Amino acid sequence: AAVRDAMAAGGCCASRASYAGACLGLWLGREAVPQDWLQRYDAADSVQQWAQQVGSFRAAVVAAEEC
């Protein structure tokens, strides 16, 4: 709903929707993204790999800060 709301708001909605989707995807995981969206997006697998890399990097930074 957050991504659709961002798109419906008008203006520079693509940037807002992209940011909202990225944040929600990172928080909720790939399983929260509607399957039909992933099937229509040719680069879904590449984006998943990038997201995993970002998540791994963030986990390493947090772990280093806890030392």
Side-chain angles (χ1 to χ4, degrees), residues 20-66:
C23 291
L24 289 170
L26 184 58
W27 184 32
L28 300 173
R30 182 178 181 158
E31 56 277 353
V33 178
Q35 195 63 32
D36 63 315
W37 290 10
L38 295 173
Q39 292 170 347
R40 288 185 282 167
Y41 185 50
D42 293 336
D45 290 334
S46 295
V47 172
Q48 173 70 20
Q49 290 174 355
W50 298 332
Q52 288 174 335
Q53 291 172 348
V54 169
S56 296
F57 177 75
R58 183 181 183 283
V61 169
V62 169
E65 289 175 349
E66 291 175 351

